[in-house]
Amino acid sequence: MFNKKEYKKIKTEIPESVKILAATKTKPAEDITEAINLGVKIIGENYVQEAEEKYEKLKDLFKEKRVSFHLIGHLQTNKIKEAVRIFDCIETVDSERLAEKINKICNDLDKNIDIMIEINFEESQKSGITIEEIDSLIKKIKTFQNLNLIGFMAIPGIGKEKECFEKMKELKEKYNIKELSMGMSSDYKTAIGNGATIIRLGTILFGGR
Ligand SMILES: *Cc1c(COP(=O)(O)O)cnc(C)c1O
């Protein structure tokens, strides 16, 4: 169930410039429909197959309400074709190889796609690139004509939210990038305090999973 009251409350508390992405993994299309009808403009899914199933039910509504569909989970190379077909933005680009393959498939389909680079602050995390790797990945992405790099995304380490968000803010300024996708149900306020432009909310809007 979509928590209408909580959504409205959050909307009044955050700056108008901050966009809410509803993270809808495991939640049914009905919940997503409710969220969209109340004004949510970005829907984020983690798994391509689950996203495809919901997309088939929701694509007309997405179009009508101008909803942007984001991939916020790790993308496996064997799922790129499906991902490019349904998503407007892939937030989790974390290697040259992945960027190159997305570009190639977009090129074949004569389509452009928005992407973000996922930054990794935790050695234990499997996805995302380190800060040291950003320069070379950006350089490479600039050579890929079908990719529009619009921002950075991060999932901070537990207990290290503040320092991760501060670092992200520095990176946004350094690279003059438009979007910072960071902050979840438990830490979105800290994220906004450090320049988040997109907060990704799941539990607080839809209840536990
Ligand atoms: C699930 C998920 C969220 C939302 O997390 P909540 O704590 O439920 O708000 C945000 N970002 C990513 C990448 C997620 O997988």
Side-chain angles (χ1 to χ4, degrees):
M1 211 190 72
F2 179 67
N3 191 335
K4 200 192 291 191
K5 209 171 137 208
E6 190 65 39
Y7 172 71
K8 287 190 174 159
K9 181 165 161 275
I10 295 169
K11 281 292 272 187
T12 63
E13 289 169 357
I14 66 175
E16 227 175 299
S17 58
V18 174
K19 292 168 273 208
I20 294 176
L21 175 154
T24 53
K25 57 180 176 279
T26 78
K27 300 298 173 187
E30 292 72 30
D31 289 10
I32 303 175
T33 300
E34 256 190 272
I36 293 170
N37 284 333
L38 279 163
V40 171
K41 291 288 177 201
I42 311 177
I43 300 295
E45 283 283 343
N46 289 63
Y47 307 101
V48 174
Q49 197 181 329
E50 181 184 342
E52 276 185 290
E53 286 163 17
K54 293 178 196 172
Y55 179 80
E56 289 312 317
K57 296 182 185 164
L58 295 166
K59 60 185 177 193
D60 294 338
L61 184 65
F62 282 176
K63 209 170 185 178
E64 184 197 329
K65 304 277 191 181
R66 298 172 185 275
V67 168
S68 185
F69 199 31
H70 288 207
L71 178 66
I72 60 173
H74 182 68
L75 179 57
Q76 287 171 309
T77 48
N78 63 350
K79 292 276 166 57
I80 296 173
K81 217 176 230 149
E82 290 79 4
V84 162
R85 183 176 75 86
I86 63 174
F87 288 109
D88 302 295
C89 178
I90 295 173
E91 294 199 11
T92 49
V93 173
D94 64 354
S95 72
E96 280 184 19
R97 184 164 157 266
L98 182 59
E100 185 168 8
K101 291 194 168 180
I102 297 170
N103 186 64
K104 167 85 174 56
I105 287 171
C106 285
N107 198 271
D108 293 345
L109 298 171
D110 197 21
K111 154 170 194 170
N112 281 26
I113 195 161
D114 288 344
I115 62 162
M116 296 190 204
I117 293 176
E118 182 178 353
I119 317 277
N120 177 356
F121 292 96
E122 289 284 289
E123 274 167 40
S124 59
Q125 240 169 332
K126 284 170 286 187
S127 52
I129 60 161
T130 63
I131 288 175
E132 291 73 37
E133 296 169 308
I134 297 176
D135 273 341
S136 75
L137 183 55
I138 288 187
K139 244 179 229 147
K140 200 76 196 181
I141 287 172
K142 283 189 175 151
T143 70
F144 297 143
Q145 294 191 351
N146 298 69
L147 305 186
N148 313 321
L149 177 63
I150 63 164
F152 295 139
M153 178 269 206
I155 305 168
I158 295 165
K160 298 186 185 151
E161 292 83 359
K162 191 151 190 291
E163 67 181 86
C164 291
F165 295 154
E166 283 169 3
K167 198 76 208 172
M168 289 287 278
K169 185 181 186 189
E170 279 174 33
L171 295 172
K172 180 176 191 274
E173 281 154 18
K174 176 172 176 191
Y175 292 100
N176 192 23
I177 206 122
K178 186 168 164 250
E179 308 285 0
L180 276 190
S181 170
M182 61 187 197
M184 308 197 275
S185 293
S186 58
D187 55 17
Y188 70 90
K189 287 178 188 161
T190 316
I192 291 171
N194 286 287
T197 63
I198 299 176
I199 53 174
R200 305 184 308 267
L201 305 180
T203 311
I204 201 169
L205 296 182
F206 299 98
R209 290 178 292 270

